[in-house]
Amino acid sequence: DARSLFSEMFDNAMDEVSAKHSPELIVTVDTKENRYTVQDFGRGIPHGKKKLENGDEKEVVEVLMTIANSGGKFDNNSYNYSAGLNGVGMTVTNALSETFEITSRRKGKFVHAITHGSADVELERGKTTEADGTTASFIPNKKYFHSAKIPHEFIINRCKIASALGFRARCIIDGKELDTNCTIFDLIKEEDSKIATYVDIPTIEVKNNAGESMKVALRYTSDTKDRYFGYTNLLANYLGGTHIQCLSKAITGAWEILINKYKNLRPAIELKPSDYLVGLRGICAVFISHPEFSSQTK
């Protein structure tokens, strides 16, 4: 699915945004060319040569585009958390694209690389007055996909999730900028439109000394069931996960402590742990340094 190529480039750019090196990222879609571009305003991919195991030296961008597992960030300390650091994404995107271009801008200089689905990279270097950052652009190769067109809804949703969790992601399709502003409660999608909202509990955010963090938002509704929405480093965990399991346990435990402390709150009937979760909607987004989950594109 060509969406995986977009996700690779989006995740790379969002790593710069979430690490506070870039104030935002911009996604641009050209439906005439079927070209997808992601631009950040971070530090830019490092310039210079990287020595390979066989002794050859190649430009860093060229290595990332043509050699898998080349270490996408070249420095394990670059990010407190990331959607992926093994350097596979750019190589795979290159292999599955008709055209793949990367421009890295750093301190008044740029390196531009373009390939056509092969290991042959055309390089250009020079000076620039543009802001630092990285621009990645690709056209999916039709022969590898059922459809080389990426649904606009998918792209817009990725931008909205980023916005909902506190990061700026703009989206421009055929020259028209779309509204991607979103709150964390907008991530809750109800299966039944008749379900009413009783109360929204403002976002709770905690951080540890390693720079990792967790954001939690809770809503109680008129539904009889509880539902949860999990995210790890901005990637949706559709199958749940440890953070989701721990969230429901923590909420149940908090209610039990409260009721035991204030005896006048205790109802006439004995409550079960599941009773505290009736109608609950929980959003738990974690930003951690060593994630292990099945939602990664790779």
Side-chain angles (χ1 to χ4, degrees):
D1 194 315
R3 288 178 293 185
S4 62
L5 304 187
F6 174 81
S7 290
E8 293 291 356
M9 297 305 99
F10 185 90
D11 292 341
N12 284 343
M14 187 51 65
D15 285 341
E16 286 291 291
V17 177
S18 58
K20 302 188 185 305
H21 297 302
S22 175
E24 64 180 7
L25 65 76
I26 301 176
V27 175
T28 306
V29 178
D30 184 334
T31 58
K32 292 181 180 179
E33 277 196 315
N34 204 25
R35 179 183 294 274
Y36 303 90
T37 303
V38 182
Q39 178 178 2
D40 69 62
F41 302 89
R43 297 165 295 176
I45 295 172
H47 296 177
K49 301 286 187 177
K50 179 174 175 63
K51 192 169 184 177
L52 307 179
E53 292 182 357
N54 63 5
D56 292 345
E57 291 188 350
K58 290 186 177 183
E59 181 68 39
V60 169
V61 174
E62 184 178 4
V63 174
L64 289 173
M65 296 172 80
T66 59
I67 301 177
N69 299 307
S70 53
K73 309 304 178 185
F74 290 90
D75 178 3
N76 291 332
N77 297 318
S78 293
Y79 297 90
N80 288 327
Y81 47 83
S82 170
L85 298 175
N86 59 11
V88 171
M90 288 188 182
T91 313
V92 172
T93 302
N94 173 36
L96 300 179
S97 297
E98 286 184 17
T99 300
F100 183 35
E101 296 183 55
I102 293 181
T103 302
S104 170
R105 301 170 301 276
R106 288 169 66 95
K107 300 178 181 179
K109 297 180 180 181
F110 76 88
V111 173
H112 176 258
I114 181 170
T115 70
H116 301 283
S118 70
D120 298 323
V121 181
E122 300 174 27
L123 286 171
E124 181 185 359
R125 302 177 180 86
K127 295 182 179 180
T128 180
T129 58
E130 294 185 41
D132 287 0
T134 300
T135 302
S137 177
F138 67 94
I139 299 176
N141 194 324
K142 297 177 182 178
K143 68 181 182 180
Y144 296 125
F145 304 102
H146 293 299
S147 174
K149 292 187 178 296
I150 302 172
H152 293 168
E153 294 77 12
F154 173 80
I155 294 173
I156 295 167
N157 188 53
R158 287 301 311 269
C159 292
K160 285 188 173 182
I161 289 173
S163 176
L165 296 179
F167 307 105
R168 178 74 171 142
R170 296 167 58 193
C171 182
I172 301 171
I173 298 179
D174 290 338
K176 181 181 179 180
E177 182 161 2
L178 307 180
D179 182 9
T180 56
N181 292 318
C182 205
T183 72
I184 196 167
F185 290 105
D186 290 326
L187 298 179
I188 298 174
K189 307 298 181 184
E190 294 294 355
E191 298 172 346
D192 185 348
S193 60
K194 296 180 180 179
I195 294 175
T197 297
Y198 289 155
V199 64
D200 284 338
I201 299 175
T203 305
I204 303 164
E205 183 173 2
V206 293
K207 296 183 179 180
N208 64 15
N209 293 332
E212 299 173 318
S213 64
M214 177 175 67
K215 295 181 180 181
V216 172
L218 304 175
R219 166 181 286 174
Y220 277 95
T221 72
S222 60
D223 195 14
T224 57
K225 300 177 182 178
D226 55 326
R227 295 178 61 210
Y228 304 92
F229 305 84
Y231 298 87
T232 302
N233 298 352
L234 292 177
L235 300 181
N237 306 128
Y238 299 108
L239 301 178
T242 304
H243 53 323
I244 294 301
Q245 296 169 5
C246 291
L247 175 62
S248 61
K249 290 180 181 178
I251 293 170
T252 300
W255 273 113
E256 290 176 339
I257 291 173
L258 182 67
I259 289 177
N260 288 332
K261 182 177 180 180
Y262 299 98
K263 303 298 183 182
N264 60 313
L265 294 177
R266 183 177 295 279
I269 60 173
E270 190 67 28
L271 292 175
K272 300 177 182 179
S274 59
D275 292 328
Y276 299 106
L277 305 175
V278 172
L280 178 68
R281 300 293 183 262
I283 299 172
C284 184
V286 294
F287 301 88
I288 55 178
S289 56
H290 300 290
E292 293 183 13
F293 54 97
S294 59
S295 305
Q296 274 186 310
T297 305
K298 292 177 279 295

